[in-house]
Amino acid sequence: MNVRVLRIELKRSVAPWAGAVVLTSTLAFLYLVNGGWWSGTTAWTAQWTSLALWTRGLLFYLWPLAVGLGALQGLRDHRSKMSELLTSTPRPARHRAGATAGATAITLAAAFALPVLVGAVQVLANTEYTHLGWLPISLVGALSLVAGAVLGMGAGRALPSVLTPPALAMAAFVFTALMHMSLGRTETVTASGLTITEPKPVSLLSPAVEEVRDVLVTLSASVHVGQTIWLLGMAATGFALLVAATPRARLVALAPVLAGAVLALLVLPSDPRRMYVVDEAAAESVCDGPVCVTRTHQARLAGLAGPGKEALRLLRDALGGRAPVSVRENTAVLPDGSTPRWSRETVAFDFDDGIIAGAEGEELTRALIAKGMVPGCTPAGWSSFGGDEFARAVAVGWVLGELRPLPGAMPADMRRQVDAEARPVWKELTALPRNEQISRITAMRTAAHSCEGEAFDVLSGGASR
């Protein structure tokens, strides 16, 4: 396909409109819809992997559009009543199909790449950690749009009806929805008794990915390979349908997509923990003495080192030999619903934690003390308010000798509730003899770090010490 043919195809096909729809829809979602991609360490402009995963996530809506627009393009010959005329020309059908499919592929790939480039410019300004591990995620995303559009074109040519484009778009949307809900997930019960859902291998046949919850999580290499096989089979079927002239040829054209699905399922991992994995290079530690962050957040180490060392000093003064000896960014990525377990030797923190995010200087020191005393036992992926916050307020007040509101953004009514619950317990605790205070604090830390029992009940004297 030369440049002249491509230019003609772009003028007489729906390819430019398909690209415009994908481009404007992507930018509208990213800039106009308030979502998880706007803030925190997983913002789409904060890190490379987050950028790739958030733009891939939008394929939940964009891929069905590409399939429907491809089907509309496939109806062109039928609408113009030129099918018989074109079959009588000496030019091979694969040449005409290649020109049409090529124009659509180039336009859709460019439309997907432009928002990625827009985000990349901002990521460059927001992080010092640069890598290429995100590139396969985006490349597979672009391939999925191309494969979906070519499949739609082939289906539109094989089923030349005005109902074909909307029916295919709806079928594609239902497919992606089912892959991310009932058919693509399985229910499991965690050790704490919570019922959660985890993805099955078949869910990875969807071009979209799950919501980004941790900056260190990426897709495994086997996922990239399996999805590429599936998408290439899909594109091959679409192209074969474009050139097929008989019912038998159209039936044979289904073989690539079926074979691609089978091969992909053989390659795709069956264990959910091998689908979304921790990026080991991104999770590598960068340290300033006892204070460490991941390579992903190495630019934030300078602002963390001073408060982190001060927090360790204050904890050592209060706890003596039982105090933690290091401050480290938490790199454990637990399945949803899992109860965390913590080490008393380390203050583990997350930059997205409510009391850590936005804290600086003295506030950050107090936040790290809070995490060192009561790291939190909320199951992964869940949110809660109550005992942990009350215990933290008491524990930080005990270390510093003064009860003050916890760091971080918290509604005024919650702050009042924390103070109302924590102040009587803090007064009772500080009125005890020093050895009794140490005994309660030690028991509280044992419960808080093992997530067995309620830390605030221990501080209140309501549980066995």
Side-chain angles (χ1 to χ4, degrees):
M1 181 175 61
N2 58 38
V3 176
R4 178 173 173 273
V5 173
L6 176 61
R7 186 166 57 247
I8 293 173
E9 281 295 330
L10 289 175
K11 288 181 179 180
R12 61 196 291 262
S13 71
V14 300
W17 295 104
V21 168
V22 169
L23 177 60
T24 55
S25 298
T26 301
L27 294 176
F29 268 108
L30 293 173
Y31 282 106
L32 301 181
V33 179
N34 187 3
W37 50 82
W38 272 18
S39 60
T41 61
T42 58
W44 77 289
T45 57
Q47 297 291 340
W48 293 103
T49 302
S50 299
L51 164 67
L53 289 174
W54 278 124
T55 49
R56 269 287 295 275
L58 296 180
L59 294 180
F60 186 92
Y61 308 100
L62 300 179
W63 187 71
L65 281 176
V67 173
L69 290 168
L72 183 63
Q73 173 64 32
L75 294 179
R76 182 179 64 179
D77 294 347
H78 177 74
R79 293 197 313 268
S80 59
K81 297 179 172 51
M82 294 177 58
S83 299
E84 293 185 6
L85 174 62
L86 291 173
T87 56
S88 65
T89 62
R91 187 184 183 192
R94 64 179 182 276
H95 288 180
R96 297 194 304 273
T100 304
T104 302
I106 292 172
T107 305
L108 286 176
F112 184 77
L114 282 174
V116 175
L117 291 175
V118 170
V121 172
Q122 298 173 77
V123 172
L124 281 172
N126 292 331
T127 183
E128 294 180 359
Y129 177 59
T130 302
H131 63 102
L132 296 178
W134 63 276
L135 198 54
I137 302 173
S138 293
L139 290 176
V140 172
L143 177 60
S144 68
L145 283 178
V146 172
V150 174
L151 180 66
M153 291 167 62
R157 179 172 171 78
L159 301 171
S161 167
V162 69
L163 298 178
T164 299
L168 277 180
M170 183 55 66
F173 179 76
V174 170
F175 172 77
T176 57
L178 291 177
M179 290 301 99
H180 288 267
M181 293 190 297
S182 56
L183 293 183
R185 304 188 71 84
T186 182
E187 286 191 354
T188 57
V189 179
T190 66
S192 57
L194 298 173
T195 300
I196 62 171
T197 62
E198 294 182 306
K200 299 177 183 178
V202 70
S203 69
L204 297 174
L205 297 181
S206 168
V209 296
E210 294 189 345
E211 182 178 343
V212 186
R213 294 182 178 175
D214 195 293
V215 71
L216 300 178
V217 170
T218 187
L219 290 172
S220 65
S222 56
V223 172
H224 299 321
V225 174
Q227 289 180 333
T228 300
I229 293 172
W230 157 242
L231 293 171
L232 290 176
M234 184 188 301
T237 286
F239 190 81
L241 287 173
L242 273 176
V243 301
T246 64
R248 181 179 179 181
R250 295 187 182 104
L251 187 62
V252 172
L254 300 178
V257 70
L258 296 177
V262 172
L263 291 175
L265 290 174
L266 292 175
V267 173
L268 293 170
S270 57
D271 185 352
R273 279 157 287 282
R274 291 175 52 226
M275 300 175 187
Y276 293 86
V277 298
V278 174
D279 185 338
E280 298 295 340
E284 183 181 342
S285 292
V286 179
C287 301
D288 181 345
V291 181
C292 300
V293 299
T294 62
R295 188 166 296 281
T296 300
H297 294 132
Q298 60 189 9
R300 305 180 72 166
L301 179 59
L304 179 74
K309 293 173 183 177
E310 177 66 9
L312 291 176
R313 184 189 68 79
L314 292 169
L315 287 169
R316 186 169 56 254
D317 290 345
L319 300 173
R322 300 185 181 92
V325 295
S326 64
V327 174
R328 290 181 176 271
E329 183 179 355
N330 184 26
T331 59
V333 179
L334 301 177
D336 278 359
S338 300
T339 301
R341 294 291 187 272
W342 307 102
S343 168
R344 284 187 283 182
E345 301 295 318
T346 301
V347 178
F349 71 95
D350 190 319
F351 282 112
D352 281 333
D353 192 294
I355 67 172
I356 298 291
E360 297 178 352
E362 181 186 352
E363 286 288 288
L364 183 54
T365 297
R366 294 177 58 243
L368 291 171
I369 292 173
K371 295 295 290 183
M373 297 295 282
V374 184
C377 292
T378 303
W382 295 60
S383 60
S384 65
F385 173 78
D388 282 346
E389 285 71 26
F390 306 154
R392 280 174 182 160
V394 175
V396 175
W398 179 80
V399 171
L400 299 178
E402 178 186 9
L403 187 66
R404 293 169 53 189
L406 290 171
M410 185 182 296
D413 57 335
M414 288 187 177
R415 286 194 179 277
R416 286 193 294 269
Q417 184 178 353
V418 171
D419 185 74
E421 294 286 344
R423 189 166 293 279
V425 176
W426 177 74
K427 289 181 178 179
E428 177 188 349
L429 177 66
T430 53
L432 295 172
R434 182 66 180 177
N435 62 338
E436 181 67 14
Q437 294 181 32
I438 294 291
S439 176
R440 284 202 187 185
I441 289 293
T442 300
M444 181 274 297
R445 292 189 71 224
T446 299
H449 285 77
S450 66
C451 292
E452 296 175 358
E454 293 292 335
F456 189 61
D457 288 344
V458 175
L459 282 177
S460 305
S464 175
R465 302 188 297 277

